[in-house]
Amino acid sequence: MKSVAKFAKQYVVSHTTFTHPLIEQWDTLVIDENLKLLFDAKLTVSTAKNAANRIICLGDILNPYQPEHSNQEVVEYLVNNTSDYDTFEKLIYTLSGRWVVIIKISDEIRLYHDAAGLKPAFYSKDKTDNIVIASQPALLAELGFCQKNMTQYNEFGQLNHSNSWPIHVLPYNNVTQLIPNHYLDLENIKATRFWPQKKVDVVSVASTTEKLAENLKGTIKALTIRKSCTMSITGGYDSRTLLSCALNSVDNINFFTVVSDYSPSYDVDVPRLISSKYQLRHQFIYKATVNKSEQANIATLSSNVGGMYYDRSMKNIYAFASAIGENTHLPGSISEIARCYYYPYGPHLLNFTAKKLAKLSGFKNNPYAIKGLSIWLNNLPKNLPYYILDLLYWEQRLGVWASCGLTFREGVIDQIPPMNNREYMELSLSMPMQRRLPPHKLTRDIISLQDPSLVDIHFNGESGSTFFDKHLSIKQLKNFITRVIKKLPLKIFV
């Protein structure tokens, strides 16, 4: 087995001209005057310009409503139809993929990334106070632009934490991550929030559900036109939703299920049933013991993301790789945006503090998470149009954990989540909350539009048409009653 290259498919943007053995074979592109882009040859880069604008796109950018368009055609469309930054932000609203875009209009240069920030950007300053940007802080450290704070890193590892570091906190000195829904001004080295401004009005539940399905089907079609694709099948909602919107493209997709030591029985039974029903090209991949060569490669992948990713799935990377090969995997990441990830038992009645958000997101009493979430809370819009926990899921769970995981894996496999589309995500959040809470009527409706029989197959081992399916689970009901009691004046119990 070949060793994994350090920082495969990564990039650096810098004013400073420098040499380093790591980037000797990397390509170079001049952005503006002394500002240069250096990137690994395996990273897809598309450029376009006219008299007024210039765009450089790193990664894969797709238009679900023109699925036949290539990367280059999408970038050229953006250049030729952008009059100002407001227009540009409207144009990227419906675009899918995993990408970073550097755009110059007149004398201003900005960096935007995909809806969930799954193609990450971290920035700092060089010795002359000019900006330097990279796909990972570990890359900035490797090139000498910053240092890792090992004291903080080791201390964090001993605390309660989720599967990655939290939002706005890094074990690197003077490095900041560009959070989703923000752009970065490359001249002033300033990140500015551009979304959300106001809530999207839902004309009707039915038409919005159809729009969500249309968006997802278009993205999947665009991916299968460009690439040889694979999808996972499990007993869950994510893979079922993707499969339903890929039914017209299944001839161009291979399917697989990874079976590990913690796989529940329904993640075997349901894939077997579904693959037989649709005659899919499907295989089970059984996780084998990781050998020494694979262990070394996993260590390199981990160091590529600064050791900031702790997900238990890390050890399964080569099981996935054996199924995916040179194809592109279409994972179900993002889907929980339609399923109230941080509040599955209904909205919370109490006011949120950074400590409360840390607990809800898996960082109970973690001072680093509390610090980062305090920053996040203080910078939220005054009149937030969407529920705070949905935005936390978007900007921390996706922008930090998911982006770190995708970067960890991209040294071995190629992945593009089809749901990573701002229109898809915002329309999901704009639907009535009750349709997103269990039993996840919105998700079931998207699936039913494609094939109603798909929702007759139970999700995640549920027992079928029960009280839980049609109303509230007992746990939800108890949770709701507890919150109401806490809100009542104490004197009524005296």
Side-chain angles (χ1 to χ4, degrees):
M1 177 179 293
K2 295 181 180 179
S3 61
V4 173
K6 291 193 72 174
F7 304 111
K9 300 181 183 178
Q10 306 299 298
Y11 70 90
V12 179
V13 174
S14 175
H15 286 279
T16 302
T17 299
F18 61 93
T19 58
H20 190 283
L22 178 67
I23 59 170
E24 284 180 350
Q25 304 302 316
W26 283 23
D27 294 331
T28 302
L29 186 64
V30 176
I31 299 172
D32 182 59
E33 297 180 359
N34 296 323
L35 188 63
K36 294 181 180 179
L37 166 69
L38 297 92
F39 59 97
D40 179 59
K42 293 181 179 179
L43 176 63
T44 299
V45 176
S46 308
T47 68
K49 64 180 180 179
N50 58 22
N53 311 320
R54 185 182 186 192
I55 289 179
I56 300 170
C57 178
L58 316 179
D60 294 283
I61 191 165
L62 308 106
N63 186 340
Y65 302 108
Q66 293 178 309
E68 71 284 353
H69 280 196
S70 66
N71 249 23
Q72 186 63 36
E73 288 172 315
V74 174
V75 172
E76 288 176 357
Y77 178 84
L78 290 173
V79 159
N80 294 326
N81 289 275
T82 293
S83 56
D84 52 35
Y85 283 109
D86 287 341
T87 305
F88 175 75
E89 290 168 10
K90 292 174 182 176
L91 290 174
I92 62 173
Y93 182 77
T94 57
L95 299 183
S96 307
R98 184 168 176 253
W99 46 266
V100 162
V101 163
I102 300 169
I103 176 169
K104 180 180 181 182
I105 301 177
S106 298
D107 293 327
E108 185 176 357
I109 305 177
R110 294 184 184 180
L111 183 148
Y112 291 80
H113 49 21
D114 57 68
L118 299 186
K119 191 70 176 173
F122 295 80
Y123 59 99
S124 185
K125 292 182 180 180
D126 61 21
K127 294 179 180 179
T128 58
D129 281 340
N130 285 315
I131 195 168
V132 57
I133 308 167
S135 45
Q136 281 298 309
L139 177 54
L140 290 174
E142 184 85 14
L143 298 175
F145 289 107
C146 67
Q147 290 185 333
K148 189 170 186 176
N149 189 322
M150 292 304 300
T151 300
Q152 289 185 1
Y153 178 77
N154 291 331
E155 185 176 77
F156 181 86
Q158 304 303 312
L159 300 167
N160 288 320
H161 60 73
S162 188
N163 295 326
S164 69
W165 277 60
I167 198 166
H168 286 310
V169 181
L170 297 167
Y172 290 86
N173 298 326
N174 304 314
V175 179
T176 304
Q177 181 176 4
L178 183 65
I179 300 303
N181 305 316
H182 294 69
Y183 68 81
L184 180 62
D185 183 330
L186 272 61
E187 295 299 320
N188 297 317
I189 316 181
K190 180 182 178 183
T192 302
R193 179 181 288 279
F194 68 91
W195 186 94
Q197 296 178 350
K198 61 180 181 179
K199 189 171 184 176
V200 168
D201 292 327
V202 173
V203 178
S204 75
V205 166
S207 64
T208 302
T209 304
E210 290 173 0
K211 185 70 173 178
L212 287 166
E214 180 187 6
N215 182 300
L216 189 52
K217 287 193 293 184
T219 296
I220 293 172
K221 182 177 180 180
L223 284 164
T224 57
I225 288 173
R226 290 191 193 183
K227 300 171 179 285
S228 298
C229 296
T230 63
M231 281 187 183
S232 313
I233 303 180
T234 68
Y237 288 92
D238 307 357
S239 64
R240 198 87 55 90
T241 305
L242 290 178
L243 172 64
S244 72
C245 291
L247 289 176
N248 292 331
S249 306
V250 291
D251 290 342
N252 300 317
I253 302 173
N254 292 320
F255 295 85
F256 71 96
T257 301
V258 170
V259 181
S260 68
D261 50 6
Y262 52 83
S263 294
S265 60
Y266 54 77
D267 276 345
V268 176
D269 298 337
V270 171
R272 184 177 288 121
L273 176 62
I274 289 177
S275 61
S276 175
K277 174 181 173 66
Y278 293 101
Q279 295 297 296
L280 304 177
R281 292 192 304 275
H282 175 266
Q283 62 175 320
F284 284 101
I285 303 294
Y286 295 89
K287 184 185 76 65
T289 302
V290 179
N291 61 41
K292 289 184 178 180
S293 176
E294 290 172 343
Q295 288 175 348
N297 285 346
I298 290 172
T300 299
L301 297 174
S302 181
S303 69
N304 285 351
V305 293
M308 297 187 295
Y309 188 63
Y310 308 98
D311 199 276
R312 66 181 182 178
S313 67
M314 293 169 70
K315 62 183 179 180
N316 290 347
I317 180 65
Y318 282 97
F320 275 80
S322 66
I324 296 166
E326 298 300 316
N327 292 355
T328 296
H329 180 224
L330 314 186
S333 314
I334 312 292
S335 67
E336 296 99 333
I337 199 76
R339 298 209 310 274
C340 306
Y341 182 82
Y342 282 136
Y343 57 106
Y345 309 119
H348 294 251
L349 300 179
L350 302 179
N351 292 330
F352 290 108
T353 63
K355 186 175 182 179
K356 177 69 172 176
L357 293 178
K359 180 180 179 180
L360 285 169
S361 57
F363 298 92
K364 183 179 180 181
N365 295 327
N366 185 315
Y368 292 98
I370 293 170
K371 176 184 175 182
L373 288 162
S374 294
I375 296 170
W376 183 76
L377 273 174
N378 291 335
N379 287 289
L380 284 180
K382 297 299 181 183
N383 297 308
L384 189 65
Y386 295 103
Y387 189 45
I388 185 173
L389 293 186
D390 288 321
L391 196 63
L392 180 64
Y393 167 82
W394 187 321
E395 297 184 359
Q396 177 172 260
R397 180 71 176 175
L398 297 179
V400 179
W401 169 77
S403 70
C404 194
L406 286 163
T407 305
F408 166 83
R409 292 185 291 273
E410 72 182 347
V412 176
I413 57 177
D414 186 39
Q415 293 182 299
I416 300 177
M419 297 174 189
N420 188 24
N421 177 290
R422 187 173 300 279
E423 179 183 60
Y424 183 92
M425 296 167 72
E426 184 170 35
L427 286 178
S428 295
L429 293 186
S430 300
M431 293 288 268
M433 185 180 292
Q434 192 59 41
R435 301 188 75 81
R436 297 191 291 121
L437 290 167
H440 308 303
K441 189 72 167 64
L442 172 58
T443 301
R444 291 169 185 260
D445 285 348
I446 292 173
I447 297 169
S448 292
L449 280 174
Q450 318 315 313
D451 184 350
S453 68
L454 265 177
V455 296
D456 293 333
I457 301 171
H458 299 163
F459 294 89
N460 291 334
E462 67 190 17
S463 57
S465 298
T466 63
F467 179 78
F468 174 83
D469 288 316
K470 296 180 180 179
H471 302 286
L472 292 172
S473 69
I474 297 299
K475 190 172 183 179
Q476 280 180 285
L477 188 59
K478 289 172 65 177
N479 185 281
F480 175 76
I481 292 172
T482 300
R483 293 199 311 272
V484 170
I485 290 174
K486 287 182 178 180
K487 197 73 173 176
L488 293 174
L490 290 178
K491 63 181 182 181
I492 70 172
F493 298 106
V494 178

